[in-house]
Amino acid sequence: MGDPHHCTEERAPSLDRVEELCCALELARDLHLTGDGEEGIHERERVREREREMEKIEGSSSIENPRPWQSYHTVYTNAKAGMDGVDKEKVQRVVYEMSKGSKYFENEERKEAFIRQKIEHMHVRCAKLTAADLSHYQKVADKRVSELEVRRDLSRIWLHVDMDAFYAAVETLSDPSLKGKPMAVGGMSMISTANYEARKFGVRAAMPGFIACKLCPELIFVPTDFKKYNYYSDLTRKVFCDYDPNFMAASLDEAYLDITEVCRERGITSTEIAEELRSRVYEETGLTCSAGVAANRLLAKVCSDINKPNGQFVLPNERMAVITFVSSLPIRKIGGIGKVTEHILRDVFGINTCEELLQKGSFLCALFSHSTAEFFLSVGSGLGGTETPQVRFRKSISSERTFSATENKALLYQKLAEIVEMLSADMQKEGLHGRTLTLKLKTASFEVRTRAVTLQKYICSSEDILKHASLLLKAELPVSLRLIGLRVSQFNEDKAGAPSDPTQRTLTSFIMSGDASRKNAADQSSLGSDISDHHFMDDQETSCSLGIHETIPDEVSDPFENNCVPNVDDQNRTFSDNVGEVEKIHQPSSSETAGKGNKLDMVRHTPKSHQNELSELVETDSSFLLQHEGNNHDRVEEEANILNNEAVSSSNQTDQFFCWVDNYKCSLCGTELPPTFVEERQEHSDFHLAERLQEEDSGSNSRFHTLRQRKFARPVYKDRTASASHKKRKKLKSSGKEGTHIPIDTFFVKSNQNL
DNA sequence: TACATACAC
DNA sequence: AATGGTGTATGTA
């Protein structure tokens, strides 16, 4: 999971381009629940009876829309290994009944409606294609298919190994009493793996636990334990090494092996290799796995699923075999074609199998982007991923948490501070420094937003991250959130992807060698094996310790209001919302100069681009902005804003503005914590720090800036700052200063903007 | 570059 | 009562 080295070459390009076609007005009109009733006209009588029973109980509504659950499309109702005898209709109904009316459900319906709209517009576009158009695109498609054909490579033998119900199997290994009983790894909110007994009930990975409970009341839940999974994963990988020292780990439980050489050297068939490998994995771990063998990775992956669990399937490296295999293959089996793409291809073009991808090639070339069409055509031809994979470096690192939705600003800032701590710790572990910071938010209504800044310098410290993250978050308030996440990308190249595991040191030498052939990579056998630091959270872990802050009165939590932090006569305090008081309290000199000095140092180390030079100017002399009044670069201005705030507030000096009286009472808000509550006090400090950052920013845009202005006698600078922040607010349209956020409107507005 | 989506596991 | 976390790719403006 989340392995940065995993193979991604065969991913389907997204279909966003379709959005070009969408007319927002029609979209808005149609988005009310239309029910999608034309689906499933031919239903079994048994279902109908159940239906009538339901009507009796519930009365009404289902008369207009006989089987509403059929239009609720979820990822986990799709056929998967071990789900043969499952009553899908029943599962679907239960899932629907459990979901109906929830915020999650409503959001899913909005997304569904949007996709239906996309589909409709693609239909229109299809209908508008003239005979001339079609013959043109047919030629285009033919040409591209024949170009693909020329590059077909049947010389490699790829094997995909996939552990059977991996987490569940591992848990059963450590607690054999679970054997034979329906069991799921995960919690009430989310299941990561279900064993085969549970799958008989329709319980599946990615299904919320509480729904699984309904489907299978006997279901036993086991919390995730990544230490165990990593341990067993390493055992399997030791086996993989014997067959391909450069195997590609796709996740803890999946890998791709190029077994061309082993087969040749040992003079045995790929079938034999697969059998041997699987039994060796079983010997070493006591776990079963399935394998697929084919001429490329994409097909090998499909094949490993065919005789799952504890089975294998070999597709010969012969063109006709491949073509035949692919022709009847449902597109959804292909990695990269998910729920949405399947839906679109089926409803717009009537495509269900890979063969039909080729048959409809002209339409695909007419309606999709070059790379998307290319992908579809290559899938139709049975191609995908034969070449030796390049070493891939991590491109981003992130941390996000779900919590019970809240609008409370102090709480939100506290959550943010917690994320920051986790992220910066992870970055430190990996030695990563990045310059793009992306804030991810999920509103109480499940709308996801991201907001990003790219900085002039590379950051990794929690102070730096918190500073910029707070600004990003601030622009979104007020809003009710259920998730906050942060991602850092655009790494400093020296550090990017440098493995933290010493056994992976050879990665660098591999790169340096300049020879990307697999031979030279032989010594980096543990490639991708160090993915132990994943945090698949279970419920307990996701619910952060709110306890200590619940005592904080609401007013305290909102630094934008005047009734902010209660005044405490404490000379350490640097900030207050009391305008009259600010001037006499402010003691900037030492921290300010120190902060600037530090930053100058940092900038000098990374004067990479013109932009950076600009930034240096901004940092060294804020009057820079005076000379560039006509220059409207929001980014620069924003950065200046940030940097100057920083100068004022040189962070990580939380204890300068509050302290623990007698070691247990917060000087600011009076919260009392026993001396032994070390972590809680740290959290509390984080909270005040974040709060203070917010105050500072707020202040620099308005009241507090009055102080700076007088102090430094730079009136024009003040104006520029204010206008910069104004522009910023304007730019981030959906950020609500309008008080209550109306998700559905935002949704439509955004669609509209995309046109 | 910023943002939204889709996808995988 | 209740629908995760980490990471990649692509398209568009």
Side-chain angles (χ1 to χ4, degrees):
Chain A
M1 301 193 164
D3 186 336
H5 305 289
H6 71 172
C7 167
T8 53
E9 287 158 41
E10 293 85 9
R11 292 275 166 79
S14 71
L15 301 170
D16 292 334
R17 181 149 211 192
V18 187
E19 285 174 26
E20 277 175 59
L21 308 169
C22 294
C23 167
L25 291 175
E26 290 176 39
L27 193 65
R29 202 191 311 140
D30 272 23
L31 269 176
H32 300 290
L33 319 182
T34 52
D36 206 25
E38 71 275 354
E39 284 192 40
I41 287 163
H42 321 285
E43 286 311 316
R44 287 163 287 181
E45 188 55 29
R46 180 174 46 80
V47 176
R48 203 153 293 181
E49 273 171 37
R50 206 185 286 136
E51 233 287 320
R52 290 191 203 106
E53 281 170 35
M54 302 256 308
E55 271 175 43
K56 276 180 217 156
I57 299 162
E58 294 185 14
S60 82
S61 91
S62 45
I63 293 167
E64 299 137 33
N65 188 359
R67 283 167 290 281
W69 55 85
Q70 290 175 348
S71 57
Y72 181 47
H73 300 118
T74 56
V75 263
Y76 39 77
T77 47
N78 229 36
K80 263 271 174 179
M83 308 267 300
D84 309 323
V86 180
D87 182 348
K88 307 233 178 67
E89 186 78 25
K90 182 191 164 192
V91 171
Q92 181 64 32
R93 209 184 66 246
V94 170
V95 169
Y96 173 80
E97 292 298 333
M98 296 296 288
S99 304
K100 192 174 55 179
S102 68
K103 298 275 188 200
Y104 175 84
F105 179 85
E106 284 169 15
N107 190 250
E108 288 301 299
E109 284 198 314
R110 283 196 293 272
K111 294 198 292 191
E112 274 279 328
F114 187 72
I115 291 163
R116 276 204 297 276
Q117 209 59 32
K118 266 185 170 178
I119 287 170
E120 199 168 306
H121 283 274
M122 292 188 76
H123 257 135
V124 169
R125 247 183 90 177
C126 272
K128 280 186 185 156
L129 289 172
T130 65
D133 289 334
L134 282 175
S135 91
H136 166 74
Y137 284 113
Q138 187 61 58
K139 278 179 206 145
V140 171
D142 290 347
K143 182 159 171 263
R144 291 169 70 176
V145 167
S146 64
E147 279 167 8
L148 287 169
E149 190 59 49
V150 168
R151 295 205 301 273
R152 185 189 295 274
D153 179 2
L154 291 169
S155 70
R156 314 294 317 175
I157 307 171
W158 281 96
L159 182 151
H160 180 251
V161 215
D162 193 336
M163 302 302 293
D164 302 325
F166 184 53
Y167 300 168
V170 170
E171 294 299 342
T172 307
L173 221 49
S174 57
D175 180 2
S177 77
L178 292 168
K179 205 177 289 179
K181 298 174 189 163
M183 181 261 279
V185 176
M188 275 307 163
S189 342
M190 194 53 62
I191 284 172
S192 36
T193 312
N195 68 8
Y196 282 81
E197 285 76 14
R199 291 185 198 190
K200 288 178 195 153
F201 294 84
V203 175
R204 262 201 54 171
M207 177 181 279
F210 67 92
I211 292 180
C213 275
K214 193 81 173 183
L215 288 169
C216 174
E218 307 287 282
L219 189 64
I220 298 167
F221 284 86
V222 177
T224 50
D225 179 356
F226 273 87
K227 275 203 201 83
K228 275 186 223 160
Y229 314 146
N230 271 296
Y231 173 79
Y232 283 98
S233 183
D234 283 345
L235 292 183
T236 67
R237 287 169 184 192
K238 286 197 181 104
V239 176
F240 301 162
C241 276
D242 291 345
Y243 297 86
D244 176 8
N246 310 309
F247 74 89
M248 301 168 69
S251 64
L252 285 182
D253 73 319
E254 280 185 38
Y256 295 91
L257 286 69
D258 181 344
I259 55 169
T260 318
E261 301 307 323
V262 226
C263 287
R264 196 178 49 76
E265 282 163 18
R266 296 179 51 187
I268 57 177
T269 63
S270 54
T271 302
E272 291 167 313
I273 291 288
E275 278 164 358
E276 185 188 299
L277 179 139
R278 290 197 302 117
S279 62
R280 279 206 50 204
V281 166
Y282 184 75
E283 285 164 21
E284 301 295 328
T285 63
L287 301 167
T288 65
C289 63
S290 302
V293 176
N296 61 58
R297 291 189 296 273
L298 184 134
L299 291 179
K301 170 126 174 80
V302 174
C303 289
S304 69
D305 201 53
I306 292 179
N307 286 318
K308 187 167 250 307
N310 199 12
Q312 62 183 56
F313 183 89
V314 177
L315 177 64
N317 281 28
E318 292 158 22
R319 187 175 174 279
M320 273 319 289
V322 171
I323 298 296
T324 307
F325 177 79
V326 141
S327 61
S328 61
L329 191 66
I331 52 172
R332 188 62 158 85
K333 295 282 182 187
I334 302 296
I337 297 185
K339 186 183 78 167
V340 174
T341 310
E342 177 192 35
H343 194 168
I344 290 173
L345 290 178
R346 173 169 34 81
D347 287 10
V348 178
F349 309 97
I351 294 173
N352 288 287
T353 66
C354 295
E355 183 176 41
E356 290 159 347
L357 285 170
L358 283 189
Q359 291 165 2
K360 305 278 179 174
S362 55
F363 287 94
L364 298 178
C365 288
L367 288 187
F368 291 105
S369 74
H370 185 89
S371 72
T372 305
E374 182 88 357
F375 172 74
F376 290 150
L377 294 178
S378 74
V379 169
S381 308
L383 303 169
T386 55
E387 72 296 338
T388 298
Q390 301 290 317
V391 177
R392 306 176 82 91
F393 288 110
R394 175 205 278 286
K395 289 176 174 155
S396 70
I397 186 166
S398 70
S399 186
E400 68 185 57
R401 285 298 174 270
T402 295
F403 42 84
S404 57
T406 178
E407 220 174 344
N408 180 311
K409 286 167 192 164
L411 227 43
L412 291 175
Y413 275 94
Q414 186 204 326
K415 298 292 182 196
L416 186 71
E418 289 166 8
I419 307 282
V420 167
E421 287 309 320
M422 293 187 283
L423 179 60
S424 81
D426 288 350
M427 288 180 71
Q428 239 112 89
K429 236 183 280 167
E430 307 246 354
L432 293 170
H433 303 246
R435 54 192 283 265
T436 298
L437 180 68
T438 306
L439 173 74
K440 175 180 170 182
L441 307 174
K442 197 188 281 176
T443 65
S445 52
F446 286 84
E447 180 208 2
V448 176
R449 305 179 193 172
T450 60
R451 298 289 179 254
V453 257
T454 297
L455 311 164
Q456 268 76 31
K457 66 172 191 176
Y458 292 88
I459 61 170
C460 66
S461 72
S462 54
E463 288 81 10
D464 283 339
I465 298 173
L466 180 57
K467 192 159 46 195
H468 297 103
S470 297
L471 290 173
L472 290 173
L473 175 59
K474 176 185 171 267
E476 301 300 311
L477 299 176
V479 64
S480 177
L481 299 177
R482 72 187 325 275
L483 173 142
I484 295 180
L486 286 172
R487 176 176 300 270
V488 174
S489 50
Q490 295 248 41
F491 295 134
N492 182 342
E493 279 181 26
D494 303 341
K495 314 249 179 177
S500 57
D501 183 339
T503 64
Q504 295 188 23
R505 282 292 169 236
T506 53
L507 270 177
T508 324
S509 57
F510 171 63
I511 301 286
M512 292 318 197
S513 76
D515 179 354
S517 86
R518 299 172 62 77
K519 296 286 166 225
N520 273 15
D523 52 346
Q524 32 143 341
S525 52
S526 57
L527 169 67
S529 67
D530 180 36
I531 45 180
S532 52
D533 51 349
H534 288 299
H535 316 289
F536 195 103
M537 308 296 288
D538 67 29
D539 294 338
Q540 289 140 342
E541 285 168 300
T542 51
S543 64
C544 307
S545 51
L546 309 179
I548 59 164
H549 296 308
E550 277 164 5
T551 57
I552 300 170
D554 218 359
E555 315 89 70
V556 175
S557 68
D558 190 352
F560 296 119
E561 307 302 329
N562 275 333
N563 54 1
C564 192
V565 180
N567 285 340
V568 176
D569 271 340
D570 182 339
Q571 60 166 11
N572 287 331
R573 187 184 48 165
T574 317
F575 292 92
S576 161
D577 267 51
N578 184 325
V579 182
E581 249 188 323
V582 170
E583 221 166 351
K584 77 176 181 225
I585 298 169
H586 184 55
Q587 300 164 3
S589 51
S590 64
S591 72
E592 200 167 322
T593 48
K596 271 200 170 179
N598 285 340
K599 224 177 333 304
L600 269 180
D601 285 346
M602 305 235 2
V603 167
R604 224 173 297 135
H605 293 310
T606 57
K608 272 209 167 147
S609 61
H610 181 60
Q611 278 263 315
N612 272 336
E613 289 163 28
L614 279 187
S615 130
E616 198 166 348
L617 281 172
V618 171
E619 289 179 27
T620 26
D621 183 4
S622 47
S623 67
F624 161 81
L625 291 169
L626 290 173
Q627 303 153 17
H628 291 260
E629 283 216 87
N631 185 342
N632 265 353
H633 290 127
D634 276 2
R635 188 86 288 131
V636 174
E637 290 177 335
E638 216 173 282
E639 190 62 15
N641 194 12
I642 290 164
L643 291 167
N644 282 284
N645 282 332
E646 187 184 352
V648 173
S649 68
S650 129
S651 45
N652 104 15
Q653 307 200 357
T654 312
D655 43 8
Q656 261 199 17
F657 88 111
F658 86 89
C659 64
W660 294 99
V661 182
D662 294 336
N663 217 22
Y664 70 91
K665 183 170 180 179
C666 176
S667 63
L668 272 190
C669 63
T671 296
E672 293 186 24
L673 289 170
T676 52
F677 279 37
V678 181
E679 272 185 37
E680 284 77 0
R681 286 211 307 278
Q682 182 55 50
E683 262 181 45
H684 192 89
S685 306
D686 286 342
F687 156 67
H688 278 306
L689 173 61
E691 185 190 60
R692 191 176 66 138
L693 280 161
Q694 184 191 17
E695 277 178 61
E696 286 167 20
D697 188 63
S698 162
S700 72
N701 291 336
S702 53
R703 299 181 302 272
F704 183 68
H705 210 91
T706 316
L707 164 76
R708 286 188 57 80
Q709 180 200 337
R710 266 183 249 141
K711 202 135 183 99
F712 302 113
R714 279 176 186 160
V716 183
Y717 170 72
K718 176 223 167 190
D719 290 347
R720 298 293 299 171
T721 307
S723 87
S725 79
H726 174 252
K727 271 179 206 154
K728 177 181 166 186
R729 217 171 289 127
K730 203 168 140 197
K731 205 168 80 186
L732 304 174
K733 258 175 226 131
S734 68
S735 64
K737 37 112 201 85
E738 59 269 9
T740 49
H741 177 243
I742 306 163
I744 200 161
D745 286 345
T746 309
F747 183 74
F748 291 133
V749 169
K750 287 205 170 117
S751 319
N752 196 1
Q753 285 166 347
N754 285 342
L755 292 177

